[in-house]
Amino acid sequence: MEDRPLADLFEPATRARWLGLVEGVLKGADYEKRLVSKTADGLRIEPLYEAAEPVPQPVRAAGPWRIAQRVDHPEIEQANRQALADLEGGADALTLVFSGAPAAHGYGLTARTVEELEAALAGVMLPLIGLRVDAGPLGLEAARLVVELAKARGEDLSACDLDLGIDPVGTLAASGSLGAVWSEIAPKLGQAVKDFDAAGFTGRALLADGRPYHEAGAGEAAELGAVLATAVTYLRALEAEGVSLERARDAVGILLVTDADEFLTIAKFRAMRRLWARIEQACGLAPKPLRLQAETAWRMMTRRDPFVNILRTAMAATGAGLGGADAVTALPYTQALGLPDAFARRVARNSQIVLIEESNLARVADPAAGAGGFESLTAQLAEAGWEAFRAIEREGGIVASLSVGKLQRRIEITRETRAKNVATRREALTGATEFPYLAEKSVAVLDVAPVAAPPAASFGSGTAVACDALPSQRLAEPYEALRDASDGFLDKTGKRPQVFLANLGPVAVFNARSTFAANAFAAGGIEALSTDGFPDDASLAEAFKASGAALACLCSSDAVYEARAVSAAKALAAAGAGTIYLAGKPGADLAEPLAAAGVHGFLHAGGDLLALLNDALRRAARA
């Protein structure tokens, strides 16, 4: 047998060859509409990229990213147990989430004195771990507690990996108030850094946090722009108080949100490092590695089928780690349901341990380098993020932009588009809008009552700086409200709202639309009663009467609809079906006769499923 090179045996894969195959499949359909997608900020994502030349990219320090775990139990003794269990279980960083912080979601550490903080961190050796403070409006107080604790212990603050997390701009964005004018707040920031530095602190005192914008629905570029504008505001505040620009640069850290879209997450984190280097150069500073924190997205978490959150947060941690985050905090999968228990916390940290220790994802400094898709999207995001930053600067900076609502309005537009995409299932939420599981069992969370938020005293006691607070929303909330209504219906009547699937013809004909309809109705907590298909309208009407369902949905092929849908709808109406749907989108010539026969609405891909389900539940409750 002749030994020939592989290159002679197989046709090379080229873009021209790929395009030829695509044209054959599209058969004249629009390439842009079918294969090119857009991000929330309107950036293009192509279906195929060619290899790219690696772009010089700022990267994190050598070695794996830190695995950070939240310490957020209101009872100080229990908070200490959390911290020790996480560190003994493989985490090497802690995030102290204080009560009153937006990220606490009603819980949080209640330590308010050095003694209480000492009790919460008893046995925790600060020089051996990373520590980030997340205290929201109590940022200054919490930061001082940490510094005072380190001093009381005799720790060398310069040897500690500390992010004190002071973020008045984030507090303004999330709460709508700061309690003082910015000209009063800014000097406090400079003085705090000077005080901490005098105690030997050399870490990050201030944090530019992307979470308020992400939770409000912002796209990646908008989040980058807001974070960059916040960081620049802090640089100016510190410089005005006599802090050198070099020290000011080192005193600011950045936190970005990481979500399940690995492609966009990696590009966003890479873009952030490029943007920060651009700021450093504009300040006349030689670029050095940025301290870049990551936290998995609250926005993507679901209360229904919460085990899917394990997959979401694992993908999010992967994206942040590959994108160059220095530390990643993964929300436990039950975070949206209450205070996570030890099992949920263990899953959160073990997911990252697998990524680092078993999957070896941290061994390459910038694994996306040279990949056409990542290089293209990183470049697009860097430019779009820079333009978003410049827009805020033209409005007088981020405090001024928030104060007059301009940044909020831009985010609101994106949020509304995203909400529409969720309502129409263009943006899928597994377990909530796709493949919901009505028989799911409840999961355990700690039996701990939420704690009252303490009064905010960090930044002032008046109401001089105020704005419209950015909402904190999870994407699945509208569908979860439907499922809650279904649970209430079940508790009251002993069964869920039901829809009778009026399948017409043989299984091979109706199965696709019947399965589609069952999943769609389940997203609203409506149980589908499936059937084997009906050869005639009489048997259809008899089966519907026997089902006891309040709703009905015709399911079959377009051809069967042409022949039987109108008569079947009339038979269902005569049998007592007050509300009838049809799975599919009939043409205009059939839609009017169907409506006249009693069909109330059409269930189809791209339709407003959320509106249809809300209406269906109301009708089922009245039946």
Side-chain angles (χ1 to χ4, degrees), residues 177-180 460-465:
S177 177
L178 276 181
S461 57
T463 56
V465 176

Side-chain angles (χ1 to χ4, degrees), residues 302-304 422 429 431-433 474-489 496-497 522-526 610 613-614 617-618:
T302 61
R303 293 174 58 232
R304 299 291 176 164
V422 171
L429 301 172
T433 68
R474 291 179 298 104
L475 296 176
E477 287 180 22
Y479 286 92
E480 291 168 354
L482 297 177
R483 295 284 295 274
D484 290 345
S486 172
D487 288 350
F489 192 95
R496 294 193 180 279
I526 300 174
L610 188 61
L613 292 175
N614 269 300
L617 279 174
R618 285 193 295 268

Side-chain angles (χ1 to χ4, degrees), residues 2-57:
E2 183 182 358
D3 185 13
R4 298 171 58 191
L6 289 178
D8 295 340
L9 296 175
F10 300 100
E11 186 178 353
T14 64
R15 184 173 182 83
R17 182 183 169 205
W18 177 80
L19 284 172
L21 294 172
V22 168
E23 289 174 2
V25 173
L26 289 179
K27 298 178 180 178
D30 190 286
Y31 173 91
E32 290 284 328
K33 290 183 179 180
R34 293 294 182 90
L35 296 180
V36 176
S37 59
K38 298 286 184 69
T39 72
D41 299 299
L43 307 183
R44 288 171 61 90
I45 299 181
E46 300 283 352
L48 182 70
Y49 292 88
E50 297 187 48
E53 285 296 322
V55 177
Q57 173 75 29

Side-chain angles (χ1 to χ4, degrees), residues 260-482:
D261 190 328
E262 184 182 11
F263 192 59
L264 276 173
T265 291
I266 292 173
K268 179 172 74 174
F269 276 73
R270 297 177 84 235
M272 185 71 251
R273 289 195 176 277
R274 293 187 189 182
L275 289 168
W276 186 246
R278 197 167 176 177
I279 292 294
E280 289 175 301
Q281 290 170 335
C283 293
L285 300 172
K288 61 185 295 187
L290 163 70
R291 177 65 170 190
L292 185 53
Q293 299 269 354
E295 183 168 290
T296 59
W298 172 251
R299 186 172 80 189
M300 71 179 179
M301 302 294 278
T302 61
R303 293 174 58 232
R304 299 291 176 164
D305 204 356
F307 293 106
V308 180
N309 292 329
I310 298 174
L311 306 178
R312 292 188 179 102
T313 54
M315 288 302 300
T318 299
L322 294 179
D326 293 288
V328 180
T329 304
L331 300 181
Y333 72 95
T334 57
Q335 192 74 53
L337 291 164
L339 197 61
D341 64 6
F343 175 75
R345 297 175 65 84
R346 180 162 63 90
V347 170
R349 65 176 184 265
N350 280 352
S351 296
Q352 291 202 66
I353 292 171
V354 169
L355 296 177
I356 293 172
E357 301 295 341
E358 297 186 27
S359 300
N360 296 300
L361 295 189
R363 291 189 179 274
V364 179
D366 184 21
F374 288 118
E375 293 290 10
S376 173
L377 193 53
T378 299
Q380 289 186 75
L381 274 174
E383 288 308 308
W386 187 257
E387 286 306 310
F389 161 66
R390 292 183 63 194
I392 294 171
E393 288 292 284
R394 287 193 294 269
E395 292 159 358
I398 193 161
V399 173
S401 182
L402 287 169
S403 297
V404 297
K406 290 186 177 181
L407 180 55
Q408 293 94 320
R409 299 292 85 76
R410 290 195 292 271
I411 293 175
E412 182 181 21
I413 293 171
T414 307
R415 180 172 66 250
E416 290 174 349
T417 300
R418 198 183 300 278
K420 180 179 178 180
N421 289 341
V422 171
T424 59
R425 297 201 295 180
R426 183 176 180 179
E427 188 165 341
L429 301 172
T430 305
T433 68
E434 305 289 337
F435 311 108
Y437 182 48
L438 292 183
E440 67 175 306
K441 304 297 182 182
S442 59
V443 298
V445 293
L446 295 179
D447 184 16
V448 177
V451 295
S458 281
F459 306 118
S461 57
T463 56
V465 176
C467 69
D468 293 333
L470 288 169
S472 174
Q473 298 177 344
R474 291 179 298 104
L475 296 176
E477 287 180 22
Y479 286 92
E480 291 168 354
L482 297 177

Side-chain angles (χ1 to χ4, degrees), residues 25-105:
V25 173
L26 289 179
K27 298 178 180 178
D30 190 286
Y31 173 91
E32 290 284 328
K33 290 183 179 180
R34 293 294 182 90
L35 296 180
V36 176
S37 59
K38 298 286 184 69
T39 72
D41 299 299
L43 307 183
R44 288 171 61 90
I45 299 181
E46 300 283 352
L48 182 70
Y49 292 88
E50 297 187 48
E53 285 296 322
V55 177
Q57 173 75 29
V59 296
R60 70 166 174 264
W65 67 86
R66 283 194 180 275
I67 299 171
Q69 287 282 96
R70 292 163 57 95
V71 180
D72 55 359
H73 201 295
E75 298 172 18
I76 291 176
E77 187 175 314
Q78 295 298 325
N80 179 245
R81 290 198 180 106
Q82 283 183 341
L84 294 178
D86 287 327
L87 295 174
E88 291 168 359
D92 59 355
L94 298 175
T95 300
L96 301 182
V97 184
F98 283 76
S99 62
H105 303 297

Side-chain angles (χ1 to χ4, degrees), residues 142 149 208 219 302 333 379 383 420 458 477 503 511 521 539 544 553 570 580 592:
L149 172 64
T302 61
Y333 72 95
E383 288 308 308
K420 180 179 178 180
S458 281
E477 287 180 22
N503 298 323
N511 186 60
F521 281 111
S539 60
F544 173 77
C553 182
K570 290 179 178 178
I580 305 170
E592 188 172 336

Side-chain angles (χ1 to χ4, degrees), residues 240-257:
E241 292 304 305
V243 179
S244 71
L245 267 178
E246 186 169 6
R247 173 60 187 128
R249 180 262 310 274
D250 294 342
V252 176
I254 285 175
L255 187 152
L256 293 179
V257 178

